[in-house]
Structures are given as C-alpha cells and as structure tokens.
Amino acid sequence: MSVADVPADRPGSTSTGSQARAARAVATPKMTWLTLALMTTSSVASLRASPTMAVYGLACVFLYVVPAIVFLLPTALVSAELASGWSGGVYNWVAQGLSKPLGFLAVWCQFAMTIFYYPSLLAYVASTIAYVINPALANNGVYTAIVIMVCYWTGVWISSRGTSAVAGLASWGLVIGTLIPGTLLVVLGMVFLGQGNPSAAPMNADHILPAWTGLASLVLIVNNFLSYSGMEMNAVHVSSLRNPAKEFPKSMFLAMGLVLLIFILPALAISWVVPADQLSLTAGVMQAFDAFFQYFHIGWLTPLIAVGLVAASLGGMLTWLAGPSKGLLLISRQEGYLPPYLQKLNGHGIQQNLLVTQGIVTSLIALLYALIPNVSSAYWILSVITTQVYLIVYLLMFVAAIRLRRLQPDHPRGYRAPGLVVLCVVGLLASAAAMIIGFVPSSQFGGGSVWGYVAIVGGGLLILGLIIPFTFLKLSKPEWRQPGAADTEEAAA
C-alpha cells in the first residue's frame, strides 16, 4: 500500500492523525531503492522519442541532459515531498497549497494531455506496423489516422469491460518494447561503426551542441520535457522506502541515469545509420532497424521487433487510458465538477461515457494526420501541444509546494526535499520558459506557416488546458455531486 491509498491529514489534525500515520508506517510494505529506480525507469523511458532527437546526432546528449537537470530532478524531489505528506496525488497537493478549483485544473490537465498523447503514440504504432506490411505506408496520413482510430477505440472497448488481461502486457513493456530492442539497436550500431562504416551524423566535438538557429533551437529541449513527465506519479512510493531521506535521492539519480542511457544511446544509434534528412519522426526506430538488419542480412527479425514495439506501446496506452480519467472522475464525483452524464459508470464500474467522449475528440485530432501532408509535422505538433497542456500541471505543482512548505511547515512529511524552494524556482522557470518557447516552430514543423503553427498549438493549449476546465467549474452544480463520493477522494491519483 502506498501513501496514495490513505487519507491525508488535514491542517489542525489531532493526535489521532499521528497515531494513524504511525500505524500506517508499520503496515506499509517496504521496497528497496533499487526497485523504485527500476519502476521509475520503466514508467518514463521509451524508444518512441528517439527519432526526434536522432536528427541532431551527437547534440542529442545535450538536448536530453539539460531538461533532466532543470526539470526531471526538481520534479522528482519536489513531488516526493508532496507525496510523502499529502495523499491524493496532484489534485490534493494543489488543492491544499492553492485552491480546489486549481486542483481540478491540475487533474484535468493530466487527463486532457492524453487526448493529444494517444494520437502521437498511436502514430508511432502505425508507422511500426507499416514496416511489416508496407514501409511506404509509414508516411501515409490517411493510413496513420485509420490505425489511430481503430487502436484507440479497441482500447476503449477493452478498458470499458474492466478486464485485467492487459496488466501483463503493460508490465512487460519495458523488457519487450524498450530494453531488448534498445540494446539490440545500440549493439548493432556499435558493430556497424566498428567495421569501419562511416556514421550518417558527425560524431566529433564540433557537433556536441546543436546548431544555433535562434529560438527555434530551444524548441528541441521543450519536447524533451514530456519525455520526463510522470515522475510525480512514482513519487507516491516514497513512503515505502526504509530510509526515504537517503534512499529516495539515490533511487532518483540512478533512475535518471538509466533513463538518459535509454534515451540517448538508441538515438545515437539511429543517427549512425539513417541520415537526418531521411529520418521520419514516427518511423525512425524501424528505419534504423531495417537499415541494420539489411546490412547484417537478418531482415527476418524486422517483424519480431515491430511486434515487440507495438505490444509495448499498446500496453502503455491501455495503462494510461483508464488512469487519468479515473482520477478526474473520482474528484468530479466528490466536488460535482463534471455533469452526471460524464460521471456515469457502466456495469463493470468503468467511466465509459468519459472514455467515449474522450475518444470522439481523439478521433477528430487523429484526422490531422490525414489533413497535414507531412506525418512528421503532425506528430511534432501533437507532441508540442501535449507538452504544453501537461506543463500547466507542473507550474501549479511547484507553486503549491512552495506554499505548503511555508503555510504548513510542521505538517508531517516522510521526505523533505533539500533546497525545496530553489528546486521549485528552477522547475517553475524551466516549465514557464518551455511553455513560451513551445510556440516557436522548429525545423521539425516542415516549413509550414509559422502563424498556422502558433494558432494550432495556442488553440490546443487555450481550449483544452483552460477554457474547457474553467467552463466546467463555472457550470458545476451542487447536485452533480455523487453520494458517498467523498469516501473515494484519496483514491484519485
């Protein structure tokens, strides 16, 4: 049982709260810091983003390390303190530190970012499948849109039935879809270079930093913020460590090192064999495998790798599909934020109406792949919008953490982040800068209209991240609250 499974003590709690905390501390199963590091790595690391950075060759090291320092580390340590003191996830942290409406905004953005996340994830699935069927389909927008909608609605059907059959698929995702393919990709790349073949991307000191082209160069770092998102969800396990103050930082530094290796090495391997001007942001991983397999005459492995990558991605999608929407549902049933129709559960206790509504919007967004000529451009735009919406969560979290340290300094915490205010300020400034820079199109946009790019990204952020949640808050009614929902408050993540 993690700290998220138990009610948070409110300000002014009596000694009963202390006794309850002591009892929970005894009952909480312990885990090693190494276990937590591997759990964190499995939930954050992925090969999907590798092509995005592979186009920059050796500079991808810099592009991954910078956001790890200014965003990943502050997020991990700050969320650990919040999770060890206040259960209920980001909603309760922001609600306690700022206000309940802003807490709803935070949990809404966690949910809303998945609306753009699924199309970009499933576009990667579509391009991977294409390499088994017909590689030319990888850049076909209509094909990509169809795969996105079929996979998503299949996922909704599976999730709405409340089945746990996907649990094994998701848990094996790190092995079959990340570690094995990633290791194979790097090994093949090293052998390829070791045989005297030239790298497609320069690997000398002159290319350690990305070429400076103005603000557009900084946009590259912004997209990597999303690669590190989700650390706040793993922070709920901090109370399961035997010595959180010492073990949690060790766990996070190890996880950060592993995540960087998984992100950087495959990206470099891709850059060794696929020229930047030929690299697809959705199909780049399979492009590299295909090139290596053809060179080493083991092309029969292509379908096996594709199946592994697809299985891992679909398992991850199914894991995310019900999670954020369930958190939003539970908070809304307690406070009456969503209308009864969206709060309705099916016979399996699943928020089917909320998933279907989300699916309709996701399907409309998927059509962008059919309407935008370049699939890589659509993928990049959706990735940026996803990042922009999710950054709202972190802006609120960092501000709430500073206020909670000042307003409730004596509130029991299983872990106190060193230099919390400094960490929050660094994370806050990095998140704000990333949000601003995200409106500057990079070369990945494919040379389209700058104002069109700004309109799409800004419109997605404004409508999904602000207008819709504040409309729900404005229209919310006391009668929308569900009886007994308060008992489930702390179950929301």
Side-chain angles (χ1 to χ4, degrees), residues 111-249:
F111 162 77
M113 77 91 181
T114 63
I115 295 177
F116 290 96
Y117 169 76
Y118 296 133
S120 62
L121 171 67
L122 294 177
Y124 167 73
V125 170
S127 65
T128 302
I129 295 174
Y131 265 80
V132 178
I133 304 173
N134 179 4
L137 290 174
N139 292 314
N140 186 303
V142 175
Y143 158 79
T144 302
I146 292 173
V147 173
I148 290 173
M149 287 188 277
V150 170
C151 289
Y152 180 82
W153 285 107
T154 301
V156 169
W157 179 78
I158 294 174
S159 296
S160 67
R161 299 186 62 80
T163 179
S164 58
V166 300
L169 177 62
S171 63
W172 278 95
L174 178 66
V175 177
I176 67 174
T178 300
L179 292 182
I180 293 177
T183 301
L184 179 61
L185 190 63
V186 173
V187 170
L188 291 176
M190 294 177 70
V191 174
F192 177 80
L193 294 182
Q195 292 183 349
N197 294 291
S199 170
M203 290 289 127
N204 53 50
D206 293 336
H207 294 84
I208 292 178
L209 298 178
W212 177 253
T213 58
L215 284 178
S217 299
L218 298 178
V219 179
L220 307 176
I221 299 177
V222 172
N223 199 51
N224 283 345
F225 276 58
L226 183 64
S227 299
Y228 296 127
S229 63
M231 294 294 291
E232 75 281 1
M233 297 180 185
N234 292 285
V236 299
H237 299 292
V238 66
S239 63
S240 298
L241 297 173
R242 297 186 183 279
N243 188 344
K246 291 184 178 180
E247 293 182 342
F248 189 79

Side-chain angles (χ1 to χ4, degrees), residues 37-63:
L38 294 177
M39 286 176 58
T40 302
T41 302
S42 65
S43 64
V44 175
S46 170
L47 296 181
R48 186 170 63 94
S50 297
T52 306
M53 291 298 108
V55 295
Y56 301 99
L58 191 59
C60 74
V61 178
F62 172 84
L63 296 172

Side-chain angles (χ1 to χ4, degrees), residues 39-375:
M39 286 176 58
T40 302
T41 302
S42 65
S43 64
V44 175
S46 170
L47 296 181
R48 186 170 63 94
S50 297
T52 306
M53 291 298 108
V55 295
Y56 301 99
L58 191 59
C60 74
V61 178
F62 172 84
L63 296 172
Y64 273 123
V65 169
V66 171
I69 295 173
V70 302
F71 179 74
L72 173 62
L73 192 58
T75 298
L77 298 183
V78 171
S79 60
E81 172 165 328
L82 294 173
S84 69
W86 295 267
S87 61
V90 70
Y91 169 78
N92 196 40
W93 303 344
V94 177
Q96 291 273 341
L98 298 174
S99 67
K100 284 188 174 182
L102 289 179
F104 171 72
L105 175 62
V107 78
W108 166 268
C109 287
Q110 271 192 332
F111 162 77
M113 77 91 181
T114 63
I115 295 177
F116 290 96
Y117 169 76
Y118 296 133
S120 62
L121 171 67
L122 294 177
Y124 167 73
V125 170
S127 65
T128 302
I129 295 174
Y131 265 80
V132 178
I133 304 173
N134 179 4
L137 290 174
N139 292 314
N140 186 303
V142 175
Y143 158 79
T144 302
I146 292 173
V147 173
I148 290 173
M149 287 188 277
V150 170
C151 289
Y152 180 82
W153 285 107
T154 301
V156 169
W157 179 78
I158 294 174
S159 296
S160 67
R161 299 186 62 80
T163 179
S164 58
V166 300
L169 177 62
S171 63
W172 278 95
L174 178 66
V175 177
I176 67 174
T178 300
L179 292 182
I180 293 177
T183 301
L184 179 61
L185 190 63
V186 173
V187 170
L188 291 176
M190 294 177 70
V191 174
F192 177 80
L193 294 182
Q195 292 183 349
N197 294 291
S199 170
M203 290 289 127
N204 53 50
D206 293 336
H207 294 84
I208 292 178
L209 298 178
W212 177 253
T213 58
L215 284 178
S217 299
L218 298 178
V219 179
L220 307 176
I221 299 177
V222 172
N223 199 51
N224 283 345
F225 276 58
L226 183 64
S227 299
Y228 296 127
S229 63
M231 294 294 291
E232 75 281 1
M233 297 180 185
N234 292 285
V236 299
H237 299 292
V238 66
S239 63
S240 298
L241 297 173
R242 297 186 183 279
N243 188 344
K246 291 184 178 180
E247 293 182 342
F248 189 79
K250 288 170 58 178
S251 176
M252 288 303 101
F253 279 116
L254 176 59
M256 189 166 72
L258 292 174
V259 167
L260 285 173
L261 288 177
I262 292 174
F263 279 149
I264 292 172
L265 294 182
L268 286 175
I270 293 173
S271 73
W272 294 338
V273 72
V274 183
D277 58 355
Q278 300 176 22
L279 187 61
S280 166
L281 298 190
T282 55
V285 175
M286 288 307 300
Q287 279 182 304
F289 273 118
D290 188 55
F292 283 135
F293 289 166
Q294 293 302 322
Y295 176 81
F296 290 105
H297 306 291
I298 50 175
W300 57 271
L301 279 176
T302 299
L304 297 179
I305 290 295
V307 168
L309 295 174
V310 168
S313 296
L314 293 179
M317 184 199 77
L318 291 171
T319 301
W320 273 84
L321 194 58
S325 61
K326 183 178 181 181
L328 176 65
L329 173 82
L330 294 175
I331 296 304
S332 298
R333 287 169 67 85
Q334 173 203 341
E335 300 293 339
Y337 290 138
L338 295 180
Y341 173 80
L342 294 179
Q343 296 184 31
K344 187 176 180 181
L345 304 177
N346 65 10
H348 298 282
I350 303 298
Q351 58 280 14
Q352 181 172 300
N353 288 358
L354 190 56
L355 290 176
V356 169
T357 303
Q358 180 186 19
I360 293 173
V361 180
T362 298
S363 298
L364 293 175
I365 294 173
L367 293 177
L368 283 174
Y369 283 94
L371 300 175
I372 296 178
N374 189 322
V375 171

